Amino acid sequence: MYDDDDTTFSLVSTASVTDATSVTTRTELENADDDIDFEIDDATSDFESGWEVSSGPSTSVPPSVYEDEIAYGRRYHGFRRGIYPMPNDEVERHREETVHALFLQLMGGHLFYANIGDYPQKIIDIGTGIGIWPIDVADQHPSASVIGTDLSPIQPPWVPINVRMFIEDSEEPEWLHGSDFDLVHFRQMTHVFRNLQGLLTKIYPHVKNGGWVEFHELIFEIRCDDGSMKEDDPLRVFIETMKNGLRVYGINILTINELEQILGEAGFTNVHCITKKVPISTWPRDKTLRALGVFMKTTINDSLGAMAAKPLAALNLSPAQRVAMLEAARESLDDTSIHRYINCCVCYAQKREGHYAETLY
């Protein structure tokens, strides 16, 4: 059910039309090789969902919301164009579906760990992507009004009746979705925000007393415990180089390592941070770990082309250098004699007194 606070929803953006259309991709990052295709994609949107643009009064929906940017053979968000250097096309959709399956497997079928009770009323997923998480949550919790927000209108046209989707930049100063949330959810979003603590401080008053925030994150540091990975492993080198490229855009992919502290500074307590090793590829003997390894390998493989586009171009690497790094990383990814893994983290915290932290390996 919807409470009276939902009257804060509207159909327009807090940004003016001028603001929304003037934020463009950093032209200095886009060289004359824009036509280099790192993935094959039709660069067209198959999604005409019932999205709204969240906002305050007296502005109109900017056309740029629906005008995708095409670069390096990939499709990127049109609203606030260029602030997030990863695509929103079919390859990315497949990656998000795989990540969803990975976390379901990793979390024993749970969509979240926070104890929000049997009849939650308000749940929001910030940076929802293709909207798969809020759709599943809405099906499981018909009592709840479930919101998904994102820069890209790439969700399916049909969603459960208790789901609403909004186009927005979540780092705008105003919060426009009401209060008394049982759960605020993020997946692979800690590295996206320029000021995560500021965002959480903004969100805090709108979480109900006893409500939760929860993060699901892949920590992109390629690790190995048995010496089978060399220091100059091409996949590891590629990921480390990509991180440097993202920093040009103001993105720190390792903010997740500071998440427990950031949550505390934003006022949240009762913090749980659970970290688990997830193998890359099928090298483990354990069947469950092998299944996770398949999901992780697929996730990374689907990410490599996007990482080789804008992030590596931001470092002024030539097309030939980027293609060479991409091919070497993919070849290395297929080598099951290298026992690599990355850490996955589920971190959740509550708006109440108390503190608890946990790390599982």
Side-chain angles (χ1 to χ4, degrees):
M1 61 181 290
Y2 295 92
D3 60 37
D4 292 338
D5 209 9
D6 281 338
T7 56
T8 54
F9 289 115
S10 68
L11 302 178
V12 292
S13 170
T14 50
S16 68
V17 176
T18 301
D19 288 342
T21 56
S22 64
V23 181
T24 58
T25 305
R26 299 166 184 254
T27 55
E28 65 270 21
L29 305 184
E30 310 294 352
N31 297 319
D33 50 82
D34 281 9
D35 58 346
I36 299 296
D37 292 352
F38 289 98
E39 301 287 355
I40 301 300
D41 184 73
D42 61 9
T44 59
S45 175
D46 295 327
F47 304 99
E48 297 294 338
S49 68
W51 264 70
E52 301 169 70
V53 183
S54 64
S55 86
S58 53
T59 57
S60 60
V61 178
S64 60
V65 168
Y66 305 104
E67 295 174 358
D68 295 323
E69 176 196 7
I70 308 299
Y72 303 103
R74 304 298 298 266
R75 188 185 70 220
Y76 298 83
H77 65 92
F79 179 57
R80 296 296 170 83
R81 180 175 296 194
I83 64 173
Y84 181 56
M86 303 300 281
N88 64 6
D89 52 24
E90 287 301 307
V91 179
E92 177 64 10
R93 174 184 171 84
H94 183 260
R95 187 196 68 81
E96 288 197 25
E97 290 172 341
T98 304
V99 170
H100 188 67
L102 187 155
F103 272 102
L104 283 175
Q105 178 83 4
L106 192 66
M107 298 171 65
H110 295 287
L111 289 165
F112 51 85
Y113 282 159
N115 183 10
I116 62 174
D118 295 330
Y119 302 101
Q121 298 299 298
K122 298 185 72 172
I123 298 170
I124 187 169
D125 183 33
I126 296 177
T128 193
I130 60 173
I132 191 169
W133 187 89
I135 289 171
D136 283 0
V137 167
D139 284 336
Q140 283 192 8
H141 297 280
S143 65
S145 163
V146 184
I147 297 168
T149 75
D150 203 273
L151 287 167
S152 296
I154 57 171
Q155 293 63 46
W158 299 103
V159 297
I161 194 171
N162 55 329
V163 172
R164 300 176 79 179
M165 300 289 189
F166 291 84
I167 302 169
E168 71 171 25
D169 179 353
S170 58
E171 290 196 276
E172 289 184 352
E174 296 180 67
W175 174 263
L176 300 158
H177 300 293
S179 297
D180 294 324
F181 280 92
D182 298 273
L183 176 63
V184 179
H185 175 261
F186 304 84
R187 175 174 285 168
Q188 286 195 271
M189 292 297 291
T190 58
H191 65 281
V192 172
F193 303 120
R194 273 65 177 175
N195 183 3
L196 179 58
Q197 183 175 337
L199 176 64
L200 289 171
T201 301
K202 178 180 72 174
I203 289 171
Y204 185 87
H206 304 286
V207 178
K208 68 184 292 185
N209 187 31
W212 297 82
V213 293
E214 182 161 326
F215 291 81
H216 300 168
E217 300 291 337
L218 307 179
I219 306 175
F220 272 93
E221 292 181 303
I222 307 298
R223 296 173 175 268
C224 177
D225 292 339
D226 64 3
S228 59
M229 180 179 73
K230 296 180 180 179
E231 190 68 22
D232 61 350
D233 175 72
L235 180 62
R236 179 180 178 276
V237 170
F238 182 96
I239 296 297
E240 293 302 312
T241 306
M242 177 272 300
K243 285 191 255 182
N244 291 332
L246 289 179
R247 289 189 182 99
V248 177
Y249 285 90
I251 293 173
N252 179 5
I253 205 166
L254 297 181
T255 301
I256 179 62
N257 294 330
E258 304 166 3
L259 185 54
E260 185 173 349
Q261 177 183 343
I262 292 172
L263 284 165
E265 291 173 351
F268 292 96
T269 58
N270 196 22
V271 180
H272 304 243
C273 285
I274 302 171
T275 301
K276 296 184 179 182
K277 296 178 180 179
V278 179
I280 300 171
S281 195
T282 57
W283 59 264
R285 294 181 179 178
D286 179 84
K287 290 183 178 180
T288 299
L289 291 177
R290 286 173 66 89
L292 285 170
V294 171
F295 287 135
M296 183 58 70
K297 179 183 177 182
T298 303
T299 296
I300 292 175
N301 189 57
D302 285 345
S303 301
L304 290 177
M307 295 172 183
K310 286 191 175 185
L312 294 194
L315 299 175
N316 295 318
L317 296 177
S318 70
Q321 289 174 308
R322 302 202 301 273
V323 169
M325 289 187 67
L326 175 62
E327 291 177 348
R330 283 188 166 148
E331 182 179 352
S332 180
L333 184 61
D334 287 333
D335 188 346
T336 57
S337 69
I338 306 173
H339 299 164
R340 291 170 292 215
Y341 68 92
I342 71 170
N343 285 326
C344 290
C345 178
V346 176
C347 195
Y348 54 113
Q350 195 172 24
K351 188 179 176 179
R352 72 171 180 83
E353 294 298 323
H355 179 82
Y356 177 74
E358 179 180 9
T359 301
L360 299 180
Y361 292 92

